[in-house]
Amino acid sequence: MSVITHDFGADKRRTTRRFRQLLSLDALHEANLKANPLPYLERASERIFQLEKALFEAALASRPTPGQTSSGETVTVDAAEYQRLREAVALIEAAHLSFSGADEDTP
């Protein structure tokens, strides 16, 4: 005897719920999300654009600007903090390169 499995739309509900949670919406939007997803997709696209913009600005802020001279000020930072800052800059640079590299592949 075999068992026929059917999820009764559970996968679609899980997908909709996850998308709603990623957009930080409350449960009342779930029915609207199913009926008309376009405004929500536009909202997600705008959020992605803002994150990419922040990543780009952080990558630019970590680099010295052309023509900038050293101010001669000395700042004391312990080695652990300096290492955390270097790791953060490395992560930002790697993420920026992967996003900018992905844009070059598209026609």
Side-chain angles (χ1 to χ4, degrees), residues 53-66 68 92-93 96:
K53 180 182 170 189
L55 183 64
F56 176 72
E57 289 172 354
L60 285 180
S62 68
R63 299 178 188 147
T65 58
Q68 180 183 18
I92 289 171
E93 288 292 329
H96 181 258

Side-chain angles (χ1 to χ4, degrees), residues 27-103:
L28 298 174
H29 289 274
E30 200 161 324
N32 292 339
L33 187 65
K34 285 182 185 178
N36 189 12
L38 186 61
Y40 298 99
L41 291 171
E42 289 173 352
R43 184 182 294 186
S45 176
E46 178 63 26
R47 184 169 290 179
I48 290 168
F49 173 75
Q50 293 296 329
L51 290 171
E52 287 179 354
K53 180 182 170 189
L55 183 64
F56 176 72
E57 289 172 354
L60 285 180
S62 68
R63 299 178 188 147
T65 58
Q68 180 183 18
T69 59
S70 177
S71 64
E73 295 180 45
T74 302
V75 178
T76 304
V77 179
D78 64 343
E81 180 70 18
Y82 181 71
Q83 186 61 32
R84 283 193 299 269
L85 290 172
R86 300 238 341 150
E87 289 172 3
V89 168
L91 288 172
I92 289 171
E93 288 292 329
H96 181 258
L97 285 175
S98 70
F99 278 122
S100 62
D103 290 344

